Amino acid sequence: MALVACGGGSGSAPASPAGNTGGGGTNSGTEFIASAQDVAKYGTWSAVDYSIGGTNPALGSAHMGPDNAFSRRIFKSASAVPSSSGYPVGSILVKETFTWQNGVKTFPATGGVFAMAKRGGTFNPQGGGWEWLALSNDGSQIMARGGADMMSGMCNACHTSAAAQTGGSDFVFPHPFEYAAAATDFANYRNWSLIQDTTTVSPYLGGAHKSSDSTAVRRIYKKQLLANPDTAQAGYPVGTIVVKEIQQNGAVTEITAMVKRGGTFNSANNGWEWFTLDPATTGIMARGADLMSGMCNGCHSLAKTSTIGADYVFKHPLDPFNH
């Protein structure tokens, strides 16, 4: 989902039909008007996606998409199960957009919690009957809401492209999203955050990464320094990229990378894709879920635990979340 990350909307909540006592959203079966109570406990719902940076091209400038410091997590209500005819009336999806400041989860000043609720009836026919909601950062209040007019029509306009993406339907983008990295993603890796620079041979290297050469320099770069493996189930957000460079006698002789591709890719190993890159051009030489006949999966599976790593990534001293 790609609601625009800024405040505003069509103003006050619409009047509820007769019979609504305010305890929750009114649901006549054909029209559902969400209340604050309906979204207040979204954090207990299923988290169906976790990504960082501009992983989905449909984001554009919405939800801090171009900023690699910001992650997004999507939650869906139990009723938000699509069928061939779309999502049922009463479905709700909530998106958090956040970063980290001194280890504290922090929302953008423009607003960090938005939702889409399938209102149905005759509401917002141009937008599939969805109502767009801007919530307070704690999710306890609906700050603004609307249909075709929300964010001057940007919510409707952006979400119309959801159906064109594999797994997307009824104005809802695919969740979980799958990010297939391109060669351009690695082009400037030396400008990323350096999270380790060492000649020490790790006991977990085995025969990989020139471990037989005790003079080889191993440098680890992380594209999104604030990518946080903050839940054991999800691990790092989709789109996270880590590159390892090996230098021998002053020359780069090996570059490898791992990208959190997500979706259904390499599900047995939490969605990671492995890469070997050309030391001269950083172009992609080989990639896959089973690269090196499974050696990447096998070695990095040791780093699933908190003692030596998290989510297949070994600990590195300058990684703020995994060191």
Side-chain angles (χ1 to χ4, degrees):
M1 102 189 237
L3 296 169
V4 176
C6 59
S10 60
S12 60
S16 299
N20 180 14
T21 62
T26 296
N27 192 344
S28 66
T30 57
E31 185 172 6
F32 169 76
I33 302 177
S35 74
Q37 181 174 313
D38 290 307
V39 294
K41 295 184 179 180
Y42 75 84
T44 65
W45 302 351
S46 296
V48 294
D49 218 341
Y50 181 34
S51 63
I52 192 165
T55 50
N56 190 328
L59 276 170
S61 61
H63 303 293
M64 309 303 289
D67 193 329
N68 281 323
F70 280 85
S71 297
R72 292 166 298 278
R73 184 173 278 115
I74 313 296
F75 300 84
K76 70 173 184 178
S77 64
S79 62
V81 179
S83 65
S84 58
S85 59
Y87 283 79
V89 170
S91 297
I92 306 176
L93 291 92
V94 174
K95 171 177 280 181
E96 287 186 339
T97 299
F98 56 89
T99 186
W100 300 87
Q101 294 182 6
N102 300 316
V104 177
K105 187 176 181 179
T106 305
F107 296 101
T110 51
V113 188
F114 291 82
M116 55 192 296
K118 191 63 176 276
R119 179 163 167 169
T122 60
F123 184 80
N124 190 16
Q126 308 100 310
W130 289 97
E131 184 170 22
W132 315 103
L133 311 171
L135 310 180
S136 59
N137 285 344
D138 64 0
S140 67
Q141 300 179 61
I142 298 175
M143 309 302 290
R145 63 195 305 164
D149 57 341
M150 188 67 166
M151 308 296 184
S152 300
M154 292 180 69
C155 297
N156 271 6
C158 183
H159 279 260
T160 58
S161 63
Q165 297 188 0
T166 301
S169 67
D170 191 17
F171 290 79
V172 180
F173 289 96
H175 301 300
F177 186 75
E178 183 175 331
Y179 182 70
T184 52
D185 286 302
F186 309 107
N188 299 306
Y189 74 86
R190 283 188 170 178
N191 293 329
W192 304 349
S193 297
L194 181 66
I195 57 175
Q196 187 159 6
D197 187 349
T198 184
T199 57
T200 301
V201 178
S202 167
Y204 306 109
L205 279 174
H209 305 297
K210 310 298 184 183
S211 59
S212 61
D213 183 354
S214 61
T215 68
V217 180
R218 298 171 186 83
R219 296 189 177 99
I220 315 296
Y221 297 88
K222 186 180 179 188
K223 184 174 185 178
Q224 307 93 349
L225 184 63
L226 299 183
N228 184 356
D230 60 347
T231 64
Q233 181 180 8
Y236 282 92
V238 169
T240 300
I241 306 179
V242 179
V243 167
K244 174 178 280 187
E245 172 192 278
I246 308 298
Q247 190 176 96
Q248 295 173 290
N249 300 317
V252 176
T253 57
E254 179 184 296
I255 306 174
T256 54
M258 56 192 298
V259 178
K260 190 64 175 282
R261 180 161 172 168
T264 59
F265 185 84
N266 197 11
S267 57
N269 295 283
N270 225 19
W272 287 100
E273 184 170 18
W274 314 98
F275 295 78
T276 57
L277 308 179
D278 187 334
T281 66
T282 69
I284 298 171
M285 298 173 65
R287 65 189 297 171
D290 204 31
L291 196 64
M292 306 292 185
S293 301
M295 288 180 64
C296 299
N297 285 332
C299 182
H300 281 264
S301 67
L302 299 174
K304 288 192 292 185
T305 62
S306 60
T307 55
I308 61 171
D311 187 24
Y312 286 73
V313 181
F314 288 97
K315 291 186 175 182
H316 300 295
L318 300 180
D319 186 330
F321 305 111
N322 190 11
H323 60 273

